Amino acid sequence: RTSISVSASGEQLRVNGDIEVGTTRAVKRHLQDHASITQVHLTSSGGNIFEARGLYRLFSSNGLDTHVDSLCASACTTAYVGGVTRTAGDDASFGFHQYRMDLPHAAIVTSAAEEQAADEALFLEAGASPEFVSRMFDARAEHMWWPSIDYLQANGVVHATR
C-alpha cells in the first residue's frame, strides 16, 4: 500500500510503499495542495510501471528533485529519474530487473520488451548513459541487479549523495 505524506517544512513529499494504480493521481493532488513542495523522497520496492511513468512525467514537468534514503527498486527507479536533481543517502539501494507482465489474461497491446524499451528511452532522456541503459534490464525478472551508488553517479542516474 502506498503512503503519501508532506514533511513538516512543507518542502518534501514522501512516497512510501508499492507504486499502485492511482499513485500518480494522489501525488498530483498533494502537489496541488502544497505548492511549496520541491523534493520527493521515494521508498519503494516497485509496482506498476505505467504509474511510475506518470510519476516521472509529474516530477519532471513540475521541476521537482527526487531523493532516496533506503530502497528504490524496479518501477520506483523510473519515477526517481524524473527528478531534476537526483540525490541518494549513504544507505540507498537501487534495484533493476527485466519486466514481466503479471496479468491473469494475455496483454494484447503490449509486451515486456516494448515496456522496457519505453523506459530505456526515459532513462536516456533523463541523462543516464547509454552504457547503463544497455545493462539496466540484464537481470531476469525474478532477480535484481544492485549497482553501486558510485556506478549510478558515474552513469548519470544519481547526481549526488548526501
Side-chain angles (χ1 to χ4, degrees):
R1 182 130 185 107
T2 308
S3 166
I4 302 170
S5 61
V6 179
S7 67
S9 70
E11 295 176 351
Q12 297 158 346
L13 184 69
R14 299 186 186 287
V15 180
N16 297 309
D18 291 343
I19 298 171
E20 304 167 321
V21 172
T23 301
T24 303
R25 186 173 29 251
V27 167
K28 185 176 183 177
R29 275 195 304 272
H30 276 81
L31 294 175
Q32 291 168 338
D33 292 345
H34 303 276
S36 59
I37 293 172
T38 60
Q39 186 179 66
V40 180
H41 284 231
L42 296 165
T43 304
S44 175
S45 60
N48 184 295
I49 58 173
F50 302 103
E51 288 289 327
R53 285 187 204 135
L55 292 173
Y56 172 101
R57 288 189 287 278
L58 197 57
F59 301 162
S60 179
S61 66
N62 284 284
L64 299 172
D65 299 332
T66 50
H67 179 79
V68 169
D69 274 321
S70 56
L71 174 68
C72 183
S74 191
C76 178
T77 62
T78 299
Y80 174 78
V81 297
V84 175
T85 299
R86 301 182 295 269
T87 56
D90 291 337
D91 295 325
S93 296
F94 294 83
F96 301 86
H97 65 90
Q98 294 173 8
Y99 293 164
R100 67 173 174 244
M101 298 294 173
D102 290 331
L103 301 172
H105 55 279
I108 297 170
V109 296
T110 192
S111 71
E114 289 172 339
E115 298 309 324
Q116 287 176 189
D119 285 350
E120 287 171 347
L122 287 181
F123 272 76
L124 289 169
E125 177 183 290
S129 73
E131 183 216 321
F132 171 80
V133 171
S134 74
R135 294 187 62 193
M136 65 187 271
F137 292 119
D138 281 355
R140 296 179 50 85
E142 61 275 7
H143 294 88
M144 195 72 72
W145 173 46
W146 302 97
S148 70
I149 296 296
D150 287 343
Y151 179 85
L152 293 171
Q153 275 191 269
N155 285 279
V157 177
V158 172
H159 294 143
T161 56
R162 60 175 185 88

